[in-house]
Amino acid sequence: MKIDGKAWRTIWLEPDGRSIGVIDQIQLPHRFTTRTLRSCDEAAEAIRTMVVRGAPLIGVTGAYGLMLALQVDPSDAALAAAFEQLNATRPTAVNLRWALERVRDRVAPLPPEQRAEAAKAEAAAIADEDVAMCEAIGDHGLAIFQQLVAARPAERQQEPLRVLTHCNAGWLATVDWGTALAPIYKAHRAGMNIHVWADETRPRNQGASLTAYELGREGVPHTVIVDNAGGHLMQHGQVDAVIVGTDRTTRRGDVCNKIGTYLKALAAHDNNVPFYVALPASTIDWSIDDGVAEIPIEARDAREVTHIQGRVAGELAVVQLTPDGSEGFNPAFDVTPARLVTALITERGVAPASEDGLRNLYA
């Protein structure tokens, strides 16, 4: 995607060939800055503190984190230690373990002196594949949006397609394009009249900050709404479709996404609004059947609930929202059962949210 006319990915190999550059998402939307990661410790910290976030992107960051570790010590012990350190940073998104296992399995059979370069090549391949998968998701999602518009009565053909999103599943959550936002970007670039309702997505406000930032840079018409407004808009016929991403999808089609997604799915179901989930293959966990019972839900720092970051007099500041002594509880994700999902949009096509649907795409 482009920022001020320059094309950016969210992660890249620096010119020295030994360190990694990333966009510092903690500073957005008020500052666009980058960081250089020079060690496995720095990569792990960037994932843990959400300098980088979004399931596909943390997977790629983890892959490069193994490269950084192996540049210092290519031994079996160092490889195992770096794997565990990086894997422990975010427990819910399956992409992280998937990418780490892919790099580990690629380098483990090699002589130690070849491992760092092999890890670099594998991490770069994962990044490139993510871009291609996300663009393909965009193409398949665009076809759905076109079908929704075509099904309208003639007098409504020129009205905007109103799409509601939750959290940030765009370019900033992946290497490029995004998952849930990729169809929106494709639609906008194809000339479709589209408008996005962007949930603020408390507690970290990824919708109000990151999604709105992306949409604004791309020129997509959008409006930020509070998390509790979505159901009201659906009741009054102001939402044509909901599209979200997912951090882990079970083999039967349950999806785990940012906290609050389940409530949007319930409201959509009650108001006959189609509810789509966009995901690459790396987000499918074939080992899990029941998402509610089996997916580990990350509990983050309660301070994310009790405090909020914003811009005050031109400077970033953190302010307290709650009374002194009030505790906070901060589950980062919830699980939406497959029965509430209209369809899954993948890089291989669109599937029903079911085991048969997914296996028809991924034999």
Side-chain angles (χ1 to χ4, degrees), residues 206-285:
Q206 295 102 319
S209 57
L210 305 180
T211 295
Y213 178 82
E214 286 191 38
L215 294 172
R217 289 297 186 272
E218 185 70 13
V220 179
H222 64 282
T223 304
V224 177
I225 58 173
V226 298
D227 289 344
N228 290 334
H232 167 78
L233 293 174
M234 293 182 213
Q235 283 181 327
H236 289 270
Q238 297 183 61
V239 179
D240 298 306
V242 180
I243 186 167
V244 300
T246 172
D247 288 74
R248 188 184 299 222
T249 303
T250 72
R251 65 174 179 265
R252 75 177 185 187
D254 297 340
V255 294
C256 182
N257 194 49
K258 184 68 178 183
I259 194 75
T261 303
Y262 174 47
L263 294 179
K264 294 300 180 298
L266 287 171
H269 182 75
D270 193 51
N271 289 280
N272 297 313
V273 174
F275 184 92
Y276 300 105
V277 181
L279 66 146
S282 56
T283 308
I284 304 170
D285 187 342

Side-chain angles (χ1 to χ4, degrees), residues 133-143 177-179 182-184 186-187 345:
M133 286 192 292
C134 287
E135 185 169 8
I137 288 169
D139 291 331
H140 294 304
L142 170 60
W177 283 103
T179 54
I184 292 169
K186 287 282 186 174
I345 307 171

Side-chain angles (χ1 to χ4, degrees), residues 47-334:
I47 297 171
R48 186 187 66 79
T49 61
M50 298 179 74
V51 168
V52 293
R53 27 73 51 205
L57 178 55
I58 66 174
V60 175
T61 307
Y64 275 120
L66 286 183
M67 177 203 80
L68 294 171
L70 293 169
Q71 289 176 163
V72 177
D73 183 351
S75 67
D76 289 346
L79 175 60
F83 182 102
E84 293 304 325
Q85 178 187 13
L86 291 161
N87 189 53
T89 54
R90 301 292 304 277
T92 299
V94 72
N95 305 62
L96 178 57
R97 174 175 282 276
W98 170 84
L100 292 172
E101 288 178 345
R102 180 166 158 178
V103 174
R104 180 194 62 191
D105 294 347
R106 172 71 178 86
V107 306
L110 299 176
E113 64 272 14
Q114 297 178 14
R115 288 177 171 177
E117 282 300 312
K120 180 195 298 186
E122 194 68 17
I126 293 171
D128 289 343
E129 289 167 17
D130 183 68
V131 176
M133 286 192 292
C134 287
E135 185 169 8
I137 288 169
D139 291 331
H140 294 304
L142 170 60
I144 289 177
F145 288 171
Q146 290 169 333
Q147 292 166 9
L148 292 175
V149 172
R152 287 173 162 177
E155 63 271 16
R156 293 195 58 213
Q157 287 292 314
Q158 302 306 313
E159 293 180 8
L161 184 73
R162 298 158 301 184
V163 180
L164 186 143
T165 68
H166 189 70
C167 198
N168 173 259
W171 158 66
L172 289 165
T174 64
V175 180
D176 207 345
W177 283 103
T179 54
L181 292 192
I184 292 169
Y185 293 140
K186 287 282 186 174
H188 178 68
R189 292 183 181 187
M192 180 180 290
N193 187 4
I194 191 166
H195 178 272
V196 178
W197 298 111
D199 278 356
E200 61 179 344
T201 322
R202 284 276 293 149
R204 291 188 64 93
N205 296 305
Q206 295 102 319
S209 57
L210 305 180
T211 295
Y213 178 82
E214 286 191 38
L215 294 172
R217 289 297 186 272
E218 185 70 13
V220 179
H222 64 282
T223 304
V224 177
I225 58 173
V226 298
D227 289 344
N228 290 334
H232 167 78
L233 293 174
M234 293 182 213
Q235 283 181 327
H236 289 270
Q238 297 183 61
V239 179
D240 298 306
V242 180
I243 186 167
V244 300
T246 172
D247 288 74
R248 188 184 299 222
T249 303
T250 72
R251 65 174 179 265
R252 75 177 185 187
D254 297 340
V255 294
C256 182
N257 194 49
K258 184 68 178 183
I259 194 75
T261 303
Y262 174 47
L263 294 179
K264 294 300 180 298
L266 287 171
H269 182 75
D270 193 51
N271 289 280
N272 297 313
V273 174
F275 184 92
Y276 300 105
V277 181
L279 66 146
S282 56
T283 308
I284 304 170
D285 187 342
W286 296 99
S287 71
I288 287 182
D289 180 61
D290 185 344
V292 175
E294 298 180 74
I295 294 178
I297 301 298
E298 177 183 3
R300 293 187 59 80
D301 190 344
R303 185 177 171 85
E304 294 180 351
V305 176
T306 60
H307 293 68
I308 194 169
Q309 176 177 285
R311 186 167 61 185
V312 179
E315 298 295 327
L316 293 182
V318 176
V319 298
Q320 181 174 321
L321 297 171
T322 55
D324 290 340
S326 291
E327 296 183 356
F329 177 51
N330 188 15
F333 302 91
D334 60 25

